[in-house]
Amino acid sequence: MKHPQQHEVLITKEDIEKHVRRLAEEISRDYRDKYPLMVGILKGSFVFLSDLIRSLEIPVEVDFVRICSYGHRKVTSGNVKMVQGLRSKVKDRDVIIVDDIVDTGLATNHLINHLRKKGPTSIKVCALLDKPSRRKITIPIDYRGIVIPDKFVVGYGLDYDERYRDLPYICALED
Ligand code: IMP
Ligand code: MG
């Protein structure tokens, strides 16, 4: 074990791969002959995004934003702030936001509103995990990976206090 504590494996490596392939097929089909700009939300989405783009059958441009939410470590406070923005041109582009998890929805919503002002042709959201039980704002998830229960999860890019991002599967942490 890379990490000493035992955790309940919620989603195996094989399951993640299966869903990443499915999402990549959906995106490749919908964006055939297009060149979308994929915007990953750091840090959590970097593992998912890197697997996703390698499964795509279309070319994409990749950029990142970094959004911080301030509050207790396992709970979003509601104060979200973009601490690193995009360098790419968004005007007249098809943009796909790539998120590790949509929890309250506040971070994704913040990014959608920010991008809308820049005049893109379209904005879609792709999220590996959806935790609908804690949603505070409705987010249209166009490409949805796996719906999970109200548990705090780590691995495959997701952290608790910056740990566990390196796990190849997703675990639920005990309280
Ligand atoms: P939001 O609550 O939808 O705004 O989610 C903001 C961010 O909180 C996500 O992109 C994740 O990085 C983080 N987050 C939310 N739920 C979890 C979780 O269960 N484990 C690890 N990080 C999470
Ligand atoms: Mg985090």
Side-chain angles (χ1 to χ4, degrees):
M1 287 286 272
K2 279 156 75 93
H3 290 277
Q5 293 128 289
Q6 292 283 345
H7 303 293
E8 176 203 344
V9 176
L10 204 63
I11 308 163
T12 62
K13 188 170 174 284
E14 291 71 26
D15 264 340
I16 296 171
E17 283 165 3
K18 197 179 76 193
H19 285 280
V20 169
R21 272 201 303 274
R22 172 179 59 80
L23 293 170
E25 277 167 22
E26 291 175 20
I27 293 170
S28 301
R29 186 193 59 214
D30 294 352
Y31 290 82
R32 178 158 306 169
D33 301 324
K34 291 187 175 160
Y35 175 54
L37 169 64
M38 303 199 97
V39 178
I41 305 183
L42 291 173
K43 295 179 194 173
S45 74
F46 83 103
V47 178
F48 173 44
L49 180 63
S50 64
D51 279 346
L52 185 67
I53 58 170
R54 283 177 291 175
S55 293
L56 290 173
E57 285 157 36
I58 52 157
V60 290
E61 183 179 343
V62 175
D63 205 344
F64 292 97
V65 294
R66 185 142 177 212
I67 296 176
C68 288
S69 12
Y70 301 95
H72 182 70
R73 278 188 288 211
K74 283 189 186 174
V75 189
T76 307
S77 65
N79 287 322
V80 288
K81 189 176 161 203
M82 194 174 304
V83 295
Q84 183 191 316
L86 287 178
R87 314 265 335 240
S88 334
K89 192 173 129 304
V90 171
K91 187 157 175 43
D92 301 327
R93 295 298 304 272
D94 291 302
V95 179
I96 306 173
I97 295 172
V98 180
D99 226 339
D100 52 352
I101 182 168
V102 179
D103 183 22
T104 63
L106 293 169
T108 319
N109 184 61
H110 185 81
L111 180 56
I112 293 172
N113 290 336
H114 172 82
L115 291 170
R116 269 206 191 116
K117 295 181 201 140
K118 295 175 179 280
T121 304
S122 65
I123 304 176
K124 301 268 181 185
V125 175
C126 172
L128 179 67
L129 303 177
D130 179 11
K131 204 198 276 184
S133 49
R134 299 194 349 116
R135 198 65 37 84
K136 283 191 178 154
I137 190 153
T138 309
I139 296 290
I141 305 179
D142 305 280
Y143 304 100
R144 185 193 322 262
I146 308 158
V147 177
I148 62 161
D150 187 9
K151 290 186 171 182
F152 193 84
V153 293
V154 296
Y156 200 69
L158 291 121
D159 75 304
Y160 174 60
D161 208 9
E162 296 304 325
R163 295 193 67 189
Y164 310 110
R165 293 193 200 274
D166 51 327
L167 293 176
Y169 42 80
I170 291 168
C171 304
L173 276 196
E174 306 294 315
D175 287 324

